Amino acid sequence: MKGVVLIALKEMVQKNFGGDRLEEALRKAGINKEFSVLPTSDIDDQVFLKILNSVCEVLNLSLTQAAEAFGDYWINVYTQKVYGLFYKGAKTAKEFLLKMDSVHVTTTKSMPDAHPPRFEYEWKNEKALIMKYKSQRGLIDFMIGLIKGVGKFYREDLGVTKLGNDQVEIVFP
Ligand code: HEM
């Protein structure tokens, strides 16, 4: 996983829950204090998951709750600073989500060894979109938290339902 995701996770824990909790979570995960991350660094997926599990443990959150906190932070705070143009280019949650497959390809193109998640889209009816998740990482709960964050950003009441480990149904208002 690219370092940018871990940087955002660390920032979310620090800002929303405090630096002490972040330090505790990193210590529990066996991460050295000097461990430094760049947005383009490669973080071993197992190390990322270990940190995520410690964050859940220290903050007493389920994985779903942590994924929602992360999704909200990534969409409404972190990427607003760094990737603001993507939001300017989409007027609705639907437009934004339909761009996500290409956004993941473009934003990781210049990062060697990136394995971005890919998405496929299938309309069930006029309002209901099935978004298929293609990644070996099994982070569908993150995907759901992120989609909810997108709904919040565009102030749209999205119906978000997990249909299994590789697809989500999104009902637009
Ligand atoms: C401007 C908005 C976004 C940007 C710039 C962005 C970019 C990225 C980047 C750079 C990564 C790391 C990829 C890697 O390590 O290979 C990532 C991971 C991820 N992104 Fe996004 N993302 C955005 C929004 C979203 C949204 C809305 C969703 C949900 C549909 C999403 C789903 C995910 C998931 C689930 C991962 C974890 C990696 C995986 O499951 O394989 N992202 N994203």
Side-chain angles (χ1 to χ4, degrees):
M1 180 85 84
K2 282 295 156 192
V4 64
V5 179
L6 181 57
I7 293 174
L9 178 68
K10 285 169 61 182
E11 205 181 286
M12 183 280 284
V13 175
Q14 182 165 30
K15 294 228 169 102
N16 294 359
F17 301 92
D20 291 354
R21 312 315 293 286
L22 174 62
E23 273 187 27
E24 194 183 334
L26 292 174
R27 195 171 350 109
K28 270 207 161 158
I31 303 297
N32 190 305
K33 258 193 160 179
E34 312 306 316
F35 177 74
S36 73
V37 196
L38 293 173
T40 50
S41 307
D42 273 317
I43 308 295
D44 186 283
D45 284 347
Q46 294 311 317
V47 172
F48 178 79
L49 290 177
K50 208 166 166 190
I51 297 174
L52 181 61
N53 282 333
S54 302
V55 164
C56 290
E57 226 180 284
V58 166
L59 302 178
N60 210 5
L61 298 177
S62 65
L63 182 62
T64 313
Q65 289 169 322
E68 292 208 355
F70 175 81
D72 186 11
Y73 194 82
W74 178 258
I75 297 297
N76 293 292
V77 184
Y78 193 82
T79 54
Q80 297 298 328
K81 299 179 279 187
V82 202
Y83 298 105
L85 272 180
F86 292 121
Y87 297 91
K88 292 212 173 74
K91 283 183 207 67
T92 60
K94 189 197 289 179
E95 276 182 36
F96 185 81
L97 289 171
L98 289 173
K99 289 202 306 186
M100 279 305 107
D101 183 56
S102 65
V103 163
H104 283 82
V105 174
T106 347
T107 53
T108 52
K109 217 180 209 158
S110 56
M111 300 181 180
D113 295 322
H115 301 283
R118 301 293 308 264
F119 305 104
E120 279 173 15
Y121 303 92
E122 192 184 304
W123 287 96
K124 198 168 150 192
N125 58 49
E126 241 173 50
K127 292 193 163 190
L129 174 70
I130 309 285
M131 206 168 155
K132 292 191 184 148
Y133 169 62
K134 303 200 159 284
S135 164
Q136 301 294 325
R137 296 192 181 100
L139 290 171
I140 188 108
D141 293 321
F142 260 57
M143 178 175 170
I144 290 174
L146 286 152
I147 295 170
K148 289 184 177 170
V150 171
K152 180 177 163 187
F153 177 77
Y154 286 98
R155 296 200 176 86
E156 290 179 32
D157 195 9
L158 304 181
V160 187
T161 314
K162 178 170 162 179
L163 298 182
N165 285 329
D166 61 354
Q167 39 187 325
V168 180
E169 183 190 70
I170 305 150
V171 179
F172 296 95

